[in-house]
């Protein structure tokens, strides 16, 4: 029994020594994960849109959107060729910024963009994500955010192949019931602009208006960044 006990003690001691000499695999895995996350963050360009902050409101209203950019051209002809090649997959549109002509495939909520990206990858279409973060802490800017969200949902639905038109009656009723916006708020003019635009939409918004709608909402979101 004494011999067996001594053997067990020796085995435990040797095991402890070897465990200290061997590398720690769990720490190596954590380091790799951290590096991957940092890399992904650096690849993502986020345009933050901050709006007026109300001291009386404590809860943030944050909405994230992704614009899918498929190409940038110095000539309008090159952009138009790419746009025409993408027509069968959705509702692409062209934005002219300075001397550049950017071809975009659409603007989507961040949580709903995966299916679009999968479609582009399947058809071997190259793209770049341009992320927008809209933040509001007051009623006026929150209402603006909700109207942007409602418009993008309509345009995303119109982009689908089987959708020919969208009814806008409920949208207009909802906007008509909105109250409490502050006329002194610096975002009041922007809220009034998009509300007027959406109110003027036809009762039945047809598919051929999708490109025009994307052009407006993309420019509107970009303009919000400068308020």
């Amino acid at each position: 029994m004494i011999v067996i006990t001594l053997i067990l003690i020796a085995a435990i001691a040797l095991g402890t020594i070897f465990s200290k000499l061997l590398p720690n695999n769990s720490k190596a895995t954590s380091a790799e994960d951290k590096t991957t996350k940092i890399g992904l963050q650096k690849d993502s360009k986020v345009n933050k849109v901050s709006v007026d902050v109300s001291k009386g409101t404590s809860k943030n209203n944050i909405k994230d959107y992704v614009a899918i950019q498929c190409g940038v051209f110095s000539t309008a002809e090159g952009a138009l060729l790419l746009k025409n090649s993408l027509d069968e997959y959705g509702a692409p549109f062209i934005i002219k910024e300075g001397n550049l002509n950017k071809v975009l495939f659409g603007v989507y909520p961040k949580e709903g963009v995966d299916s679009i990206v999968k479609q582009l990858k399947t058809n071997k279409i190259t793209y770049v994500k341009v992320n927008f973060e809209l933040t509001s802490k007051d009623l006026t800017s929150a209402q603006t955010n909700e109207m942007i969200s409602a418009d993008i949902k309509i345009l995303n639905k119109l982009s689908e192949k089987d959708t020919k038109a969208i009814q806008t009656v409920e949208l207009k009723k909802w906007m008509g019931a909105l109250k409490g916006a502050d006329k002194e708020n610096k975002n009041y003019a922007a809220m009034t602009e998009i509300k007027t635009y959406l109110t003027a939409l036809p009762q039945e918004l047809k598919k051929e208006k999708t490109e025009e709608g994307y052009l407006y909402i993309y420019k509107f979101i970009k303009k919000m960044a400068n308020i």
Side-chain angles (χ1 to χ4, degrees), residues 36 43 49 66 74 86 91 97 100 114 129-130 137 188 195 197 202 211 221:
T36 302
D43 289 339
V49 182
V66 179
S74 58
L86 297 173
E97 294 182 349
L100 300 177
D114 288 347
K129 291 180 181 179
V130 182
K137 293 183 180 180
Y188 184 79
K195 187 174 183 180
Y197 168 79
E211 182 179 342
I221 292 174

Side-chain angles (χ1 to χ4, degrees), residues 2-22:
I2 294 173
V3 173
I4 293 172
T5 303
L6 290 173
I7 291 171
L8 288 173
I9 292 171
I12 292 170
L14 288 171
T16 303
I17 292 169
F18 283 128
S19 66
K20 289 181 179 180
L21 293 174
L22 291 172

Side-chain angles (χ1 to χ4, degrees), residues 23-202:
N24 190 324
N25 291 331
S26 62
K27 289 183 179 179
T29 302
S30 298
E32 290 174 3
D33 290 345
K34 186 176 181 181
T35 302
T36 302
K37 290 177 182 177
I38 292 172
L40 289 173
Q41 289 170 359
K42 286 182 178 178
D43 289 339
S44 177
K45 180 183 177 183
V46 177
N47 298 320
K48 293 186 177 180
V49 182
S50 298
V51 292
D52 197 28
V53 177
S54 172
K55 293 181 181 179
T57 307
S58 59
K59 186 177 181 181
N60 288 350
N61 179 349
I62 301 174
K63 292 186 181 295
D64 294 299
Y65 298 103
V66 179
I68 302 294
Q69 182 176 296
C70 294
V72 180
F73 298 84
S74 58
T75 64
E77 292 77 11
L80 186 59
L81 282 173
L82 176 59
K83 176 190 171 297
N84 290 341
S85 71
L86 297 173
D87 280 340
E88 63 178 297
Y89 305 112
F93 59 100
I94 299 172
I95 289 287
K96 187 170 179 61
E97 294 182 349
N99 296 322
L100 300 177
N101 298 274
K102 299 182 178 182
V103 181
L104 290 100
F105 192 69
V107 183
Y108 304 89
K110 187 177 181 180
E111 65 274 10
V113 77
D114 288 347
S115 60
I116 304 302
V117 167
K118 184 178 179 180
Q119 179 188 7
L120 294 175
K121 286 181 177 179
T122 300
N123 291 285
K124 297 181 180 180
I125 298 169
T126 58
Y127 65 90
V128 173
K129 291 180 181 179
V130 182
N131 298 287
F132 296 94
E133 182 182 274
L134 278 67
T135 305
S136 61
K137 293 183 180 180
D138 61 78
L139 188 58
T140 306
S141 52
Q143 288 182 4
T144 306
N145 266 0
E146 291 301 329
M147 282 186 259
I148 291 171
S149 179
D151 190 31
I152 288 176
K153 286 179 181 177
I154 288 173
L155 294 171
N156 292 167
K157 188 64 179 175
L158 276 177
S159 299
E160 296 177 5
K161 288 185 178 181
D162 297 333
T163 305
K164 295 182 179 180
I166 294 286
Q167 297 294 322
T168 63
V169 176
E170 292 302 318
L171 170 66
K172 293 178 182 181
K173 283 182 180 179
W174 168 73
M175 288 191 300
L178 294 176
K179 298 185 183 299
D182 182 7
K183 292 183 179 181
E184 302 300 321
N185 190 293
K186 68 177 182 179
N187 295 287
Y188 184 79
M191 188 213 71
T192 303
E193 179 196 324
I194 190 169
K195 187 174 183 180
T196 301
Y197 168 79
L198 293 174
T199 301
L201 290 177

